[in-house]
Amino acid sequence: MNRATLITVVAAAAAVLASMTLPSYYASLAVYAVVLSMLGVSVNISSGYLGLMSFGHAAFFGLGAYAAGLLAVRWGVNFWLAVALASLPAAALGAVVGVASLRVSGHYFAIATLVVSEILRLLSLNWISLTRGPLGVVVPRPRIAYFESFGLIFAQYHLMICIVVLALLIEIMRRLVASPYGRAWMALRDKQELAESVGIAPLSHKVGAIALSGGIAGLAGALLVPRILVLSPDLFGTNFSATGLLAVIVGGKGTLLGPVFGGVLFAAAPELLRSIDAYRIAVFALILLLVVRIRPGGLASLLPRGSAGEARNAAIPPSKPVVQAASLAISSISKSFGGLKAIDDVSFSVLRGRILGLIGPNGAGKTTCLSLVSGFLTPSQGSIDIGPRKLTGLSAPRVAEEGVVRTFQHTTLCPMLTVFENVLIGTHLLSPETAWSAVLQTKAYLEREKVRASWAQACLEKVGLAGRHQSEAGALPYGEQRLLSIAVALAARPDFLLLDEPAAGLSGTEAVSLVRLLRQLRDDGVTIILIDHNLRMMMEICDELVVIHHGKMLAQGDPVSVRNDPAVIEAYLGQRRAGEAHAAA
Amino acid sequence: MFDLVLQQLANGISTGMIYALIALGLTVVFGVMHVINFAHGELYMVGALCSVMLTSRLGIPYILTVPIAAIAGALIAIVTDRIAISPVLPRKDGHALVLITTFAASMLINETVVASAGPGPIPSPGIGGWVLSLGPVALSAQRLLVIGVGLLLVIFLQLMLMRTKFGRSLRAVAQSAWAAEVVGVDVRKIAFLTLALSGLLAGLAGALVVPIVTFSAAMGSHAIINAFVIVVIGSMGSFVGAVVCGVALGVAESIASIAMSSDASSAIIYSLLLVALLLRPQGLFARSAR
């Protein structure tokens, strides 16, 4: 058992012991605090780690409460078993809302959650035969004789159960956040294109996370039932949605314990401020507004920031399997945007272990070409293949799985994460992972994490940033950010590396070390497609050049023949100079 | 039965006109600023409140309260911008934070109204009891006013977008704020004016509808969800989509009320949003090419 797990266990045990001494009123209040913390943990997954604001987590919360209550009252299921089952419909609802709203943009998630909670509120209000509408369903207190035989009162052992569940949830979250899943969530939140380029599929990760979030909210709702004992449509109301969001924002979104601070605060606040109870929502709204305006990091940002993810120098050299992949062949691809043909019938192929340069004037379609190959755009016509394997029509993450990884013209990194964390994101595809092994931290999983960490460190060393692994990525000087982007792409262990203007804005010495790095990579067996405007460098480093002009392919060949091609000279230097060049030749 | 359907169709067009006005404001603000203003429904509620208060407390003739309510809507929109949108939007994750701040602003406005004016209902006299009869269909003067003003506004807005300098600038910002800035459009000013315009429309819609539905503090939250359904089905940012889907939703809701309770029809209409997102997330009126 590691130290962090031990801390959780000790803290939970202490809280359980303390709850035995609490009088009923305080124990019941503490139950509310713990339930709100769980709701906060749930909202934190969507609003904190995924950056998707939710205004309707009461939908999941209320659904969990109704599911547990109705199972117990109408179908005679043991209430505590019903609590465990109650998270299932809530998780399923989360998946549905996620699938429905996340294909477009994050805004739609906020709308969809709000609307779903309103639908469920109307449903619970009007489906009288099931829910008794506004009267509500009365749930008998689910006493447990075993606990009472020790002289515990109901509120006390209810609190103990809640504390154990919360501790479990926090421990699960801690492990997930530190796993490839958590890294994928944060990468998708901060820079979705970067995540996709290293093989993180956006929709499935987000939908999975929202389902988890829904399930936790459902569990929280179900655990509230023994305290309120009446299921009423208010469970779906704005009050709980807002409180959950508030607990996260005030506590500190995207932090492990922030939602717990927030949950405790907002359970206690109404008791302390009895006199203003009528204005509770207004006060909450005001706090929400002020915190976002003044201290968006929440309470957790007042605490010192722990050193996240230290580089482990475990010397396990990741063995790269020797893939006898064929060359990458691009066959007469075209891409039009409306009436504009950005790429028009371009074909070329790259042999393994070579550097192919893609050159052409600004706006020629070089980046479009790269986006087509890497799956960020789908060609209107033509095909892209690696030997027998078709890349055409695959999404960017699937293309990355096939070993083709790109970088971006504009520096694309997660600026708030450390250099090391950024590179770790790139290791997503290194070995497949399941959520179970990450939560249970199986021996094999820990071993794989070690391999990922040491591979990330090796990638940083390759680009010469090993000494910077703890710096915030956004704080690096520009040239080092460019190098870091390459390290992130390398971490995905590409067979084909597509670099979009890696030398742009580099100083002379940085450019020289970049050239050395690219040669080294080629010698290691990485095939490189390179876009850059620095023609001297391109001539020097590329084994082959492809010239694109107005979306069409102008020339292909070794640097010397391309340099002397009259059509290329004309495209670059204009008509008159081309004539001169001819005259000179 | 058929007569009843015709009657509800006519009624539906008038409430649909109101929905269209609300949705237009929401969609234009999204088009220009890429912000979803969760407080937008409350602007409509404030417009309605303003109208009923002025008629019932101060005895001002209803028709005069309509422009005042529109201005009140615009003012609240500007205040919302100042406290919840402009200061937050330029931040790093501004577009996510602005959802929270406008959501908080909507709760604040709503709670302030509940605390001061009460949750309602408060009736409003409207423009009087005159009724137009077309065969089996009877339309009150108030509903005719709603339809007339609504139509005029839609035509006026369309002309303004196409013909005036402000309209051209607005469309330019909607297409690309960056490019518009480069050619000398004051993007911040256009955003500000667009938001004020959305408040104007919402306040006006509130004053127009209040004699038909009577005032309640909860009318804003109902309206914003309807507006979300409209703009999602009609494509976020689309002018035509907001008008067509707004009227269609009004008609659908009105005809559904023959057969079911308003809660049930609301629940069904809200569910349409999920269905639309699942089947055609970009909406019916999305431009095919970027």
Side-chain angles (χ1 to χ4, degrees), chain B residues 20-70:
Chain B
L21 291 182
I22 302 169
L24 266 180
L26 194 68
T27 209
V28 170
V29 167
F30 180 80
V32 171
M33 304 172 77
H34 299 279
V35 163
I36 291 177
N37 181 3
F38 272 82
H40 190 69
E42 306 306 324
L43 307 178
Y44 158 79
M45 186 270 284
V46 166
L49 175 75
C50 187
S51 172
V52 290
M53 282 298 163
L54 289 177
T55 44
S56 66
R57 297 276 164 87
L58 301 179
I60 294 176
Y62 166 74
I63 200 74
L64 289 181
T65 67
V66 176
I68 300 175

Tab-separated table of all heavy atoms in Angstrom, chain B residues 20-70:
chain	number	residue	atom	x	y	z
B	20	ALA	N	-39.654	32.988	-31.121
B	20	ALA	CA	-38.683	33.347	-32.153
B	20	ALA	C	-37.873	34.569	-31.728
B	20	ALA	O	-36.652	34.602	-31.897
B	20	ALA	CB	-39.394	33.610	-33.475
B	21	LEU	N	-38.562	35.563	-31.138
B	21	LEU	CA	-37.844	36.777	-30.721
B	21	LEU	C	-36.804	36.447	-29.646
B	21	LEU	O	-35.683	36.971	-29.665
B	21	LEU	CB	-38.820	37.821	-30.189
B	21	LEU	CG	-39.762	38.458	-31.227
B	21	LEU	CD1	-40.640	39.507	-30.563
B	21	LEU	CD2	-38.967	39.082	-32.364
B	22	ILE	N	-37.204	35.575	-28.700
B	22	ILE	CA	-36.259	35.217	-27.631
B	22	ILE	C	-35.076	34.453	-28.229
B	22	ILE	O	-33.904	34.751	-27.956
B	22	ILE	CB	-36.948	34.354	-26.559
B	22	ILE	CG1	-38.135	35.108	-25.977
B	22	ILE	CG2	-35.975	33.976	-25.463
B	22	ILE	CD1	-39.027	34.245	-25.118
B	23	ALA	N	-35.396	33.471	-29.062
B	23	ALA	CA	-34.344	32.630	-29.634
B	23	ALA	C	-33.412	33.452	-30.528
B	23	ALA	O	-32.196	33.203	-30.561
B	23	ALA	CB	-34.959	31.479	-30.422
B	24	LEU	N	-33.981	34.444	-31.226
B	24	LEU	CA	-33.146	35.279	-32.099
B	24	LEU	C	-32.035	35.954	-31.318
B	24	LEU	O	-30.871	35.959	-31.739
B	24	LEU	CB	-34.003	36.362	-32.762
B	24	LEU	CG	-34.553	36.039	-34.138
B	24	LEU	CD1	-35.374	37.207	-34.656
B	24	LEU	CD2	-33.398	35.754	-35.092
B	25	GLY	N	-32.414	36.530	-30.153
B	25	GLY	CA	-31.403	37.198	-29.332
B	25	GLY	C	-30.309	36.238	-28.915
B	25	GLY	O	-29.112	36.508	-29.041
B	26	LEU	N	-30.732	35.054	-28.458
B	26	LEU	CA	-29.772	34.053	-27.984
B	26	LEU	C	-28.822	33.634	-29.109
B	26	LEU	O	-27.613	33.538	-28.941
B	26	LEU	CB	-30.555	32.833	-27.484
B	26	LEU	CG	-29.812	31.795	-26.660
B	26	LEU	CD1	-29.424	32.379	-25.323
B	26	LEU	CD2	-30.690	30.566	-26.453
B	27	THR	N	-29.421	33.418	-30.289
B	27	THR	CA	-28.642	32.884	-31.400
B	27	THR	C	-27.703	33.939	-31.978
B	27	THR	O	-26.580	33.645	-32.368
B	27	THR	CB	-29.592	32.281	-32.460
B	27	THR	OG1	-28.937	31.233	-33.135
B	27	THR	CG2	-30.062	33.286	-33.465
B	28	VAL	N	-28.155	35.207	-32.009
B	28	VAL	CA	-27.288	36.259	-32.549
B	28	VAL	C	-26.097	36.484	-31.622
B	28	VAL	O	-24.959	36.610	-32.064
B	28	VAL	CB	-28.081	37.566	-32.764
B	28	VAL	CG1	-27.141	38.708	-33.086
B	28	VAL	CG2	-29.084	37.389	-33.892
B	29	VAL	N	-26.371	36.477	-30.307
B	29	VAL	CA	-25.262	36.642	-29.355
B	29	VAL	C	-24.276	35.486	-29.511
B	29	VAL	O	-23.061	35.680	-29.513
B	29	VAL	CB	-25.788	36.725	-27.904
B	29	VAL	CG1	-24.663	36.564	-26.908
B	29	VAL	CG2	-26.478	38.056	-27.699
B	30	PHE	N	-24.801	34.276	-29.682
B	30	PHE	CA	-23.886	33.155	-29.873
B	30	PHE	C	-23.091	33.326	-31.162
B	30	PHE	O	-21.878	33.114	-31.193
B	30	PHE	CB	-24.635	31.820	-29.901
B	30	PHE	CG	-23.701	30.658	-30.102
B	30	PHE	CD1	-22.979	30.157	-29.043
B	30	PHE	CD2	-23.497	30.115	-31.363
B	30	PHE	CE1	-22.086	29.119	-29.227
B	30	PHE	CE2	-22.606	29.078	-31.553
B	30	PHE	CZ	-21.896	28.583	-30.483
B	31	GLY	N	-23.788	33.730	-32.231
B	31	GLY	CA	-23.110	33.899	-33.512
B	31	GLY	C	-21.974	34.902	-33.431
B	31	GLY	O	-20.901	34.676	-33.985
B	32	VAL	N	-22.210	35.989	-32.725
B	32	VAL	CA	-21.217	37.063	-32.698
B	32	VAL	C	-20.146	36.825	-31.645
B	32	VAL	O	-18.961	36.983	-31.902
B	32	VAL	CB	-21.914	38.421	-32.467
B	32	VAL	CG1	-20.901	39.515	-32.205
B	32	VAL	CG2	-22.765	38.762	-33.673
B	33	MET	N	-20.558	36.424	-30.426
B	33	MET	CA	-19.587	36.363	-29.326
B	33	MET	C	-19.193	34.932	-28.962
B	33	MET	O	-18.313	34.730	-28.146
B	33	MET	CB	-20.172	37.032	-28.070
B	33	MET	CG	-20.609	38.460	-28.297
B	33	MET	SD	-21.501	39.101	-26.875
B	33	MET	CE	-20.141	39.436	-25.760
B	34	HIS	N	-19.869	33.939	-29.544
B	34	HIS	CA	-19.668	32.542	-29.178
B	34	HIS	C	-19.879	32.330	-27.696
B	34	HIS	O	-19.165	31.583	-27.036
B	34	HIS	CB	-18.303	32.038	-29.640
B	34	HIS	CG	-18.179	32.131	-31.123
B	34	HIS	ND1	-18.711	31.199	-31.973
B	34	HIS	CD2	-17.672	33.093	-31.907
B	34	HIS	CE1	-18.514	31.574	-33.214
B	34	HIS	NE2	-17.887	32.720	-33.213
B	35	VAL	N	-20.892	33.044	-27.193
B	35	VAL	CA	-21.240	32.939	-25.790
B	35	VAL	C	-22.681	32.477	-25.728
B	35	VAL	O	-23.515	32.962	-26.487
B	35	VAL	CB	-21.127	34.325	-25.119
B	35	VAL	CG1	-21.857	34.347	-23.795
B	35	VAL	CG2	-19.677	34.704	-24.925
B	36	ILE	N	-22.959	31.511	-24.839
B	36	ILE	CA	-24.356	31.182	-24.587
B	36	ILE	C	-24.746	31.903	-23.312
B	36	ILE	O	-24.202	31.630	-22.250
B	36	ILE	CB	-24.555	29.669	-24.457
B	36	ILE	CG1	-24.329	29.035	-25.829
B	36	ILE	CG2	-25.957	29.360	-23.977
B	36	ILE	CD1	-24.413	27.545	-25.839
B	37	ASN	N	-25.648	32.863	-23.472
B	37	ASN	CA	-26.037	33.683	-22.329
B	37	ASN	C	-27.163	32.984	-21.573
B	37	ASN	O	-28.322	33.056	-21.960
B	37	ASN	CB	-26.481	35.057	-22.839
B	37	ASN	CG	-26.866	35.976	-21.708
B	37	ASN	OD1	-26.746	35.608	-20.535
B	37	ASN	ND2	-27.331	37.157	-22.034
B	38	PHE	N	-26.792	32.317	-20.472
B	38	PHE	CA	-27.803	31.596	-19.703
B	38	PHE	C	-28.769	32.544	-19.010
B	38	PHE	O	-29.806	32.114	-18.523
B	38	PHE	CB	-27.136	30.658	-18.685
B	38	PHE	CG	-26.834	29.313	-19.259
B	38	PHE	CD1	-25.696	29.116	-20.022
B	38	PHE	CD2	-27.699	28.241	-19.085
B	38	PHE	CE1	-25.428	27.878	-20.578
B	38	PHE	CE2	-27.437	26.998	-19.637
B	38	PHE	CZ	-26.308	26.824	-20.383
B	39	ALA	N	-28.428	33.825	-18.933
B	39	ALA	CA	-29.334	34.784	-18.298
B	39	ALA	C	-30.345	35.338	-19.282
B	39	ALA	O	-31.169	36.168	-18.919
B	39	ALA	CB	-28.519	35.922	-17.672
B	40	HIS	N	-30.298	34.878	-20.524
B	40	HIS	CA	-31.149	35.474	-21.558
B	40	HIS	C	-32.634	35.354	-21.230
B	40	HIS	O	-33.398	36.300	-21.442
B	40	HIS	CB	-30.850	34.805	-22.910
B	40	HIS	CG	-31.490	35.478	-24.070
B	40	HIS	ND1	-31.094	36.725	-24.516
B	40	HIS	CD2	-32.527	35.118	-24.861
B	40	HIS	CE1	-31.850	37.079	-25.545
B	40	HIS	NE2	-32.721	36.123	-25.778
B	41	GLY	N	-33.060	34.220	-20.684
B	41	GLY	CA	-34.471	34.037	-20.348
B	41	GLY	C	-34.944	35.048	-19.311
B	41	GLY	O	-36.095	35.485	-19.323
B	42	GLU	N	-34.037	35.421	-18.417
B	42	GLU	CA	-34.428	36.358	-17.359
B	42	GLU	C	-34.638	37.769	-17.920
B	42	GLU	O	-35.377	38.567	-17.345
B	42	GLU	CB	-33.385	36.377	-16.235
B	42	GLU	CG	-33.073	34.998	-15.640
B	42	GLU	CD	-34.311	34.252	-15.154
B	42	GLU	OE1	-35.242	34.899	-14.634
B	42	GLU	OE2	-34.362	33.018	-15.338
B	43	LEU	N	-33.994	38.082	-19.042
B	43	LEU	CA	-34.211	39.391	-19.661
B	43	LEU	C	-35.667	39.497	-20.125
B	43	LEU	O	-36.318	40.531	-19.997
B	43	LEU	CB	-33.281	39.588	-20.859
B	43	LEU	CG	-31.792	39.353	-20.613
B	43	LEU	CD1	-31.006	39.529	-21.911
B	43	LEU	CD2	-31.277	40.316	-19.563
B	44	TYR	N	-36.160	38.384	-20.650
B	44	TYR	CA	-37.545	38.302	-21.098
B	44	TYR	C	-38.487	38.445	-19.903
B	44	TYR	O	-39.461	39.201	-19.946
B	44	TYR	CB	-37.686	36.951	-21.810
B	44	TYR	CG	-39.042	36.336	-21.956
B	44	TYR	CD1	-39.920	36.779	-22.940
B	44	TYR	CD2	-39.416	35.266	-21.145
B	44	TYR	CE1	-41.149	36.155	-23.104
B	44	TYR	CE2	-40.641	34.646	-21.310
B	44	TYR	CZ	-41.509	35.097	-22.281
B	44	TYR	OH	-42.713	34.479	-22.449
B	45	MET	N	-38.132	37.764	-18.806
B	45	MET	CA	-38.948	37.847	-17.597
B	45	MET	C	-38.951	39.281	-17.071
B	45	MET	O	-40.000	39.801	-16.673
B	45	MET	CB	-38.380	36.869	-16.556
B	45	MET	CG	-39.182	36.726	-15.291
B	45	MET	SD	-38.669	37.894	-14.039
B	45	MET	CE	-37.146	37.146	-13.489
B	46	VAL	N	-37.812	39.942	-17.112
B	46	VAL	CA	-37.738	41.323	-16.628
B	46	VAL	C	-38.595	42.238	-17.503
B	46	VAL	O	-39.281	43.140	-16.995
B	46	VAL	CB	-36.268	41.801	-16.589
B	46	VAL	CG1	-36.194	43.308	-16.424
B	46	VAL	CG2	-35.524	41.109	-15.468
B	47	GLY	N	-38.599	41.994	-18.812
B	47	GLY	CA	-39.451	42.782	-19.707
B	47	GLY	C	-40.910	42.651	-19.316
B	47	GLY	O	-41.641	43.648	-19.205
B	48	ALA	N	-41.325	41.411	-19.055
B	48	ALA	CA	-42.714	41.172	-18.661
B	48	ALA	C	-43.023	41.854	-17.331
B	48	ALA	O	-44.050	42.516	-17.168
B	48	ALA	CB	-42.960	39.667	-18.565
B	49	LEU	N	-42.087	41.711	-16.383
B	49	LEU	CA	-42.272	42.315	-15.056
B	49	LEU	C	-42.421	43.816	-15.176
B	49	LEU	O	-43.298	44.443	-14.561
B	49	LEU	CB	-41.070	41.980	-14.177
B	49	LEU	CG	-41.059	42.639	-12.805
B	49	LEU	CD1	-42.062	41.949	-11.899
B	49	LEU	CD2	-39.673	42.606	-12.185
B	50	CYS	N	-41.559	44.413	-15.972
B	50	CYS	CA	-41.544	45.852	-16.152
B	50	CYS	C	-42.915	46.315	-16.662
B	50	CYS	O	-43.500	47.273	-16.142
B	50	CYS	CB	-40.434	46.181	-17.144
B	50	CYS	SG	-40.142	47.903	-17.342
B	51	SER	N	-43.446	45.598	-17.633
B	51	SER	CA	-44.739	45.973	-18.206
B	51	SER	C	-45.868	45.864	-17.170
B	51	SER	O	-46.649	46.798	-17.003
B	51	SER	CB	-45.023	45.094	-19.431
B	51	SER	OG	-46.329	45.308	-19.881
B	52	VAL	N	-45.947	44.722	-16.465
B	52	VAL	CA	-47.061	44.581	-15.513
B	52	VAL	C	-46.948	45.560	-14.355
B	52	VAL	O	-47.953	46.074	-13.866
B	52	VAL	CB	-47.202	43.140	-14.945
B	52	VAL	CG1	-47.690	42.196	-16.003
B	52	VAL	CG2	-45.935	42.644	-14.317
B	53	MET	N	-45.723	45.826	-13.920
B	53	MET	CA	-45.556	46.747	-12.794
B	53	MET	C	-45.997	48.150	-13.192
B	53	MET	O	-46.681	48.838	-12.441
B	53	MET	CB	-44.096	46.763	-12.339
B	53	MET	CG	-43.727	45.570	-11.505
B	53	MET	SD	-44.697	45.564	-10.021
B	53	MET	CE	-44.497	43.899	-9.459
B	54	LEU	N	-45.584	48.570	-14.374
B	54	LEU	CA	-45.918	49.931	-14.809
B	54	LEU	C	-47.423	50.077	-15.008
B	54	LEU	O	-47.989	51.128	-14.682
B	54	LEU	CB	-45.179	50.277	-16.109
B	54	LEU	CG	-43.670	50.472	-15.953
B	54	LEU	CD1	-43.021	50.743	-17.307
B	54	LEU	CD2	-43.358	51.619	-15.006
B	55	THR	N	-48.095	49.032	-15.525
B	55	THR	CA	-49.543	49.158	-15.715
B	55	THR	C	-50.287	49.046	-14.383
B	55	THR	O	-51.144	49.876	-14.083
B	55	THR	CB	-50.094	48.086	-16.673
B	55	THR	OG1	-49.512	46.834	-16.340
B	55	THR	CG2	-49.788	48.416	-18.123
B	56	SER	N	-49.910	48.053	-13.562
B	56	SER	CA	-50.703	47.819	-12.354
B	56	SER	C	-50.369	48.811	-11.231
B	56	SER	O	-51.257	49.237	-10.505
B	56	SER	CB	-50.518	46.383	-11.864
B	56	SER	OG	-49.181	46.199	-11.431
B	57	ARG	N	-49.105	49.175	-11.076
B	57	ARG	CA	-48.746	50.063	-9.952
B	57	ARG	C	-48.865	51.535	-10.321
B	57	ARG	O	-49.313	52.341	-9.532
B	57	ARG	CB	-47.297	49.781	-9.504
B	57	ARG	CG	-47.059	48.393	-8.973
B	57	ARG	CD	-47.438	48.289	-7.492
B	57	ARG	NE	-47.562	46.893	-7.086
B	57	ARG	CZ	-46.531	46.158	-6.667
B	57	ARG	NH1	-45.346	46.684	-6.557
B	57	ARG	NH2	-46.721	44.902	-6.316
B	58	LEU	N	-48.409	51.889	-11.541
B	58	LEU	CA	-48.367	53.311	-11.891
B	58	LEU	C	-49.476	53.721	-12.860
B	58	LEU	O	-49.612	54.892	-13.182
B	58	LEU	CB	-47.003	53.671	-12.510
B	58	LEU	CG	-45.788	53.412	-11.626
B	58	LEU	CD1	-44.515	53.771	-12.357
B	58	LEU	CD2	-45.885	54.204	-10.330
B	59	GLY	N	-50.256	52.743	-13.332
B	59	GLY	CA	-51.370	53.060	-14.220
B	59	GLY	C	-50.969	53.590	-15.580
B	59	GLY	O	-51.746	54.255	-16.267
B	60	ILE	N	-49.756	53.297	-15.998
B	60	ILE	CA	-49.320	53.716	-17.327
B	60	ILE	C	-50.022	52.846	-18.362
B	60	ILE	O	-50.147	51.636	-18.163
B	60	ILE	CB	-47.788	53.586	-17.449
B	60	ILE	CG1	-47.118	54.587	-16.500
B	60	ILE	CG2	-47.310	53.830	-18.890
B	60	ILE	CD1	-45.638	54.489	-16.451
B	61	PRO	N	-50.529	53.413	-19.465
B	61	PRO	CA	-51.202	52.609	-20.477
B	61	PRO	C	-50.282	51.512	-20.992
B	61	PRO	O	-49.084	51.753	-21.215
B	61	PRO	CB	-51.517	53.609	-21.590
B	61	PRO	CG	-51.426	54.941	-20.967
B	61	PRO	CD	-50.506	54.848	-19.799
B	62	TYR	N	-50.875	50.330	-21.189
B	62	TYR	CA	-50.071	49.160	-21.542
B	62	TYR	C	-49.140	49.434	-22.721
B	62	TYR	O	-47.948	49.091	-22.688
B	62	TYR	CB	-50.986	47.983	-21.871
B	62	TYR	CG	-50.252	46.860	-22.562
B	62	TYR	CD1	-49.389	46.040	-21.856
B	62	TYR	CD2	-50.383	46.655	-23.930
B	62	TYR	CE1	-48.693	45.036	-22.483
B	62	TYR	CE2	-49.682	45.643	-24.576
B	62	TYR	CZ	-48.833	44.837	-23.846
B	62	TYR	OH	-48.130	43.856	-24.471
B	63	ILE	N	-49.682	50.065	-23.766
B	63	ILE	CA	-48.913	50.166	-25.010
B	63	ILE	C	-47.623	50.964	-24.810
B	63	ILE	O	-46.609	50.711	-25.455
B	63	ILE	CB	-49.799	50.762	-26.135
B	63	ILE	CG1	-49.223	50.427	-27.501
B	63	ILE	CG2	-50.003	52.258	-25.990
B	63	ILE	CD1	-49.429	48.992	-27.892
B	64	LEU	N	-47.668	51.907	-23.835
B	64	LEU	CA	-46.448	52.681	-23.567
B	64	LEU	C	-45.401	51.859	-22.815
B	64	LEU	O	-44.197	52.144	-22.883
B	64	LEU	CB	-46.790	53.918	-22.731
B	64	LEU	CG	-47.569	55.013	-23.451
B	64	LEU	CD1	-47.816	56.174	-22.496
B	64	LEU	CD2	-46.815	55.494	-24.671
B	65	THR	N	-45.889	50.842	-22.107
B	65	THR	CA	-44.925	50.060	-21.319
B	65	THR	C	-44.068	49.161	-22.215
B	65	THR	O	-42.996	48.733	-21.808
B	65	THR	CB	-45.632	49.150	-20.294
B	65	THR	OG1	-46.370	48.153	-21.002
B	65	THR	CG2	-46.558	49.937	-19.401
B	66	VAL	N	-44.548	48.886	-23.441
B	66	VAL	CA	-43.805	47.952	-24.292
B	66	VAL	C	-42.402	48.471	-24.630
B	66	VAL	O	-41.417	47.762	-24.398
B	66	VAL	CB	-44.622	47.611	-25.563
B	66	VAL	CG1	-43.831	46.724	-26.498
B	66	VAL	CG2	-45.934	46.950	-25.179
B	67	PRO	N	-42.282	49.707	-25.151
B	67	PRO	CA	-40.915	50.189	-25.421
B	67	PRO	C	-40.070	50.319	-24.154
B	67	PRO	O	-38.866	50.053	-24.177
B	67	PRO	CB	-41.125	51.546	-26.084
B	67	PRO	CG	-42.526	51.933	-25.801
B	67	PRO	CD	-43.308	50.674	-25.622
B	68	ILE	N	-40.719	50.679	-23.027
B	68	ILE	CA	-39.949	50.813	-21.778
B	68	ILE	C	-39.387	49.448	-21.371
B	68	ILE	O	-38.227	49.323	-20.970
B	68	ILE	CB	-40.835	51.398	-20.653
B	68	ILE	CG1	-41.343	52.789	-21.066
B	68	ILE	CG2	-40.051	51.486	-19.347
B	68	ILE	CD1	-42.317	53.403	-20.085
B	69	ALA	N	-40.242	48.424	-21.518
B	69	ALA	CA	-39.797	47.068	-21.170
B	69	ALA	C	-38.632	46.642	-22.056
B	69	ALA	O	-37.688	45.998	-21.596
B	69	ALA	CB	-40.955	46.081	-21.314
B	70	ALA	N	-38.710	47.023	-23.338
B	70	ALA	CA	-37.621	46.666	-24.251
B	70	ALA	C	-36.316	47.292	-23.777
B	70	ALA	O	-35.260	46.642	-23.747
B	70	ALA	CB	-37.956	47.124	-25.661
